[in-house]
Amino acid sequence: YILRALEDGFEIVDQHALHERITFEALRGELARGNVEVQRLLVPELVEVDRAQVALIAARAAELTRAGVLVEPFGEATLAVHGLPARLQRPRPALLVRDIVALLEEDKALAGEKLLEEVLHRAACRASVMAGDLLTEHEMRALLDRGRHLESDQTCVHGRPTRVRFALADLERAFNRR
């Protein structure tokens, strides 16, 4: 968490929730412009799944490519991840592919923009800094600054708040001074 002083109190920022929102909004903007930039992997990451899951992903490969996820069958029970959205600072190909498989198994009818947005949700979550990660002061300031430029930075993609504010009056009440 990031603790930041304000004129009338302080706020606690959930660094994961804020980074997730920032990453998602940037990915969604790229998707809307039709150009999710892809970072190809030097060596494809292989993800073991079952045959039905390989078929499920293979049937949706073209849609996933629009979201910047380049994945294809590699044998009967393996998927090869060839690329992910370049914006992902901490890509975790296997985790993301497993999330996408679970998403498609949950709702086989999920398609079009709704599918792409759900894939971007998961990509943003998996690639964001985590709650326990230590950030430098520079990284914290950069994160807060990037969040300030969003249209809405109050919740993460899943709806959790990115920050909690405490006014001086809240502190005075907590310490029985009011």
Side-chain angles (χ1 to χ4, degrees), residues 18-39:
L18 181 58
H19 192 222
E20 180 181 306
R21 171 55 72 181
I22 291 165
T23 303
F24 173 72
E25 292 300 335
L27 286 169
R28 187 162 64 174
E30 288 180 10
L31 181 63
R33 291 186 298 279
N35 66 342
V36 176
E37 188 176 338
V38 174
Q39 173 65 54

Side-chain angles (χ1 to χ4, degrees), residues 96-173:
L96 178 56
V97 167
R98 290 186 198 293
D99 283 352
I100 294 170
V101 166
L103 173 68
L104 293 172
E105 286 178 330
E106 258 177 47
D107 187 354
K108 292 189 185 343
L110 191 61
E113 296 304 312
K114 184 65 177 159
L115 169 62
L116 297 179
E117 198 156 298
E118 289 296 327
V119 168
L120 296 182
H121 280 179
R122 281 150 179 82
C125 183
R126 288 293 184 188
S128 296
V129 296
M130 295 300 159
D133 291 346
L134 295 177
L135 301 180
T136 66
E137 185 175 340
H138 174 74
E139 290 169 325
M140 287 183 230
R141 289 183 190 283
L143 186 64
L144 294 169
D145 187 52
R146 289 173 57 206
R148 198 174 6 258
H149 297 295
L150 294 176
E151 187 174 312
S152 173
D153 70 341
Q154 298 303 303
T155 64
C156 75
V157 178
H158 305 100
R160 290 188 309 271
T162 58
R163 65 194 70 234
V164 177
R165 293 180 186 222
F166 295 89
L168 183 56
D170 297 326
L171 291 174
E172 289 174 343
R173 273 192 299 279

